[in-house]
Amino acid sequence: MLALDWSSAAECPGREVVVEGLQAMMPALLVPPAVAEALPEQLRVTGALEALPDGGYEVQLAFARGDDRDARSFQGPDCGSLTRAATLVIAVALDPVETAEHVGPLDAREDPPAPAPVQKPKLVPEPEPALAPEPKPALELPVEPTTLEPAREPPPRERRRPPRSGDARGPSPLGGSVGVRIGGGLGPVDAATTQLGLDLALASGRWRVDLLGLWMPPRELAASVGPSDNRVRFDSFLVGAHGCGVPSWRTLEFPLCAGVEAGATRGVGVDPTPDPREAALPWVTLTPGAGLRWVASPRVAVGFDLAAPISLVRGGFRINELVVQRLAPVGARGLVAVDVRFP
């Protein structure tokens, strides 16, 4: 008796087609799975017909009878022909003799009709041919005996896994992003400032280059030296270029950056400063930094950036020969980042 468990792809024949083919070759062959559990000796077959990722189909058959186990697998471009082949293999595994009788015996073909009698032609004496020289015997080469080896089944084909998001698949495509930056810090003058800006970036795989623009809104400060009624309003801007390595883990990125920034700070004396004037001081910094990004979706990433600008310029602002504010030799900056990415 046979207990059959069959599964197949949606576009391929199902278990009922296999059952019809088996019953055509071996009637009264199958039993329901619930009844098969109670039978002392039966052949249990588990079959699976699946589509391959690169085209075509594969059949996998597992046979069990008592403690004996066997397995077969084969592939083909058409799931219909694979279903018929699997049906024949299952029937042969159960009873090859009965399967051969239902498929058709070899001697069942009808004998071909006897050929029509051929009229013998009349014999006419022909002149004897001239004697030809006897041909020399052909040179025979020794033939090495060949050994027949049994055919071996090909090894099972390795299934292709879909690539994971972290797998390396050649050079990454070039992409970009536009970001908004909001935060604050110390610098460029030796005082805390609010900082607003935009960031444009190009990225590919584990690297990124960006162009950052920041504006520090005006802030009124009392002179650090001299009369306490001297007051100055400062505002600044900067433009910076940075190169970053971007290691990542799952949906988190950890950019490590270094760059050069340049800008200017404007100071304007305000009342009650006597004889208020306006002055501007340019500056350049080397800026290392680090950050964190959470990639919320392929298009959006949020996080923060930390940087420590190191000033390459020394200078300050004076009122009546007194330096009332200087550029910070080393600054600090923290910015909240929101990036919109595009391929």
Side-chain angles (χ1 to χ4, degrees), residues 57-137:
Y57 299 85
E58 182 180 39
V59 168
Q60 294 185 356
L61 298 175
F63 300 89
R65 190 196 300 270
D67 295 334
D68 297 331
R69 300 290 186 272
D70 194 9
R72 299 288 182 85
S73 65
F74 41 92
Q75 301 173 357
D78 177 31
C79 60
S81 60
L82 285 178
T83 302
R84 293 191 294 273
T87 304
L88 181 58
V89 172
I90 295 171
V92 171
L94 184 63
D95 193 338
V97 176
E98 186 176 352
T99 301
E101 291 176 357
H102 283 83
V103 170
L106 296 176
D107 57 352
R109 295 173 296 182
E110 296 181 359
D111 294 333
V118 181
Q119 186 177 1
K120 295 182 179 180
K122 295 181 180 181
L123 297 178
V124 179
E126 295 182 359
E128 294 183 0
L131 295 178
E134 294 182 359
K136 295 182 179 180

Side-chain angles (χ1 to χ4, degrees), residues 16 37 46 113 117 124 224 248 264 271-272:
E16 63 277 8
E37 296 291 340
T46 301
V124 179
S224 58
S248 63
D271 291 335

Side-chain angles (χ1 to χ4, degrees), residues 27-296:
L29 175 64
L30 300 174
V31 296
V35 178
E37 296 291 340
L39 294 178
E41 182 70 14
Q42 80 280 346
L43 176 65
R44 300 183 60 87
V45 180
T46 301
L49 175 56
E50 300 176 349
L52 296 175
D54 54 349
Y57 299 85
E58 182 180 39
V59 168
Q60 294 185 356
L61 298 175
F63 300 89
R65 190 196 300 270
D67 295 334
D68 297 331
R69 300 290 186 272
D70 194 9
R72 299 288 182 85
S73 65
F74 41 92
Q75 301 173 357
D78 177 31
C79 60
S81 60
L82 285 178
T83 302
R84 293 191 294 273
T87 304
L88 181 58
V89 172
I90 295 171
V92 171
L94 184 63
D95 193 338
V97 176
E98 186 176 352
T99 301
E101 291 176 357
H102 283 83
V103 170
L106 296 176
D107 57 352
R109 295 173 296 182
E110 296 181 359
D111 294 333
V118 181
Q119 186 177 1
K120 295 182 179 180
K122 295 181 180 181
L123 297 178
V124 179
E126 295 182 359
E128 294 183 0
L131 295 178
E134 294 182 359
K136 295 182 179 180
L139 180 61
E140 296 184 356
L141 298 178
V143 179
E144 296 181 0
T146 57
T147 303
L148 298 180
E149 295 182 358
R152 299 180 181 178
E153 293 185 359
R157 187 170 184 175
E158 182 180 358
R159 300 285 187 87
R160 294 185 179 179
R161 295 187 299 109
R164 297 180 180 176
S165 58
D167 292 346
R169 296 290 182 184
S172 302
L174 184 66
S177 66
V178 178
V180 176
R181 303 291 184 265
I182 301 175
L186 175 66
V189 295
D190 195 8
T193 58
T194 301
Q195 302 182 12
L196 308 172
L198 294 175
D199 181 271
L200 301 177
L202 291 177
S204 178
R206 302 299 185 188
W207 63 267
R208 186 186 77 197
V209 293
D210 61 13
L211 184 66
L212 175 67
L214 287 179
W215 173 58
M216 283 67 85
R219 182 182 178 188
E220 189 172 313
L221 300 173
S224 58
V225 296
S228 59
D229 57 352
N230 289 338
R231 304 188 65 82
V232 182
R233 184 170 59 244
F234 296 98
D235 66 314
S236 305
F237 76 91
L238 69 84
V239 176
H242 309 90
C244 306
V246 189
S248 63
W249 179 74
R250 296 188 178 179
T251 59
L252 298 180
E253 296 178 350
F254 309 93
L256 302 175
C257 305
V260 177
E261 297 175 350
T265 298
R266 181 181 62 170
V268 180
V270 295
D271 291 335
T273 301
D275 190 20
R277 297 181 183 180
E278 178 179 329
L281 180 62
W283 44 265
V284 178
T285 64
L286 297 178
T287 307
L292 173 67
R293 293 290 186 279
W294 172 52
V295 184

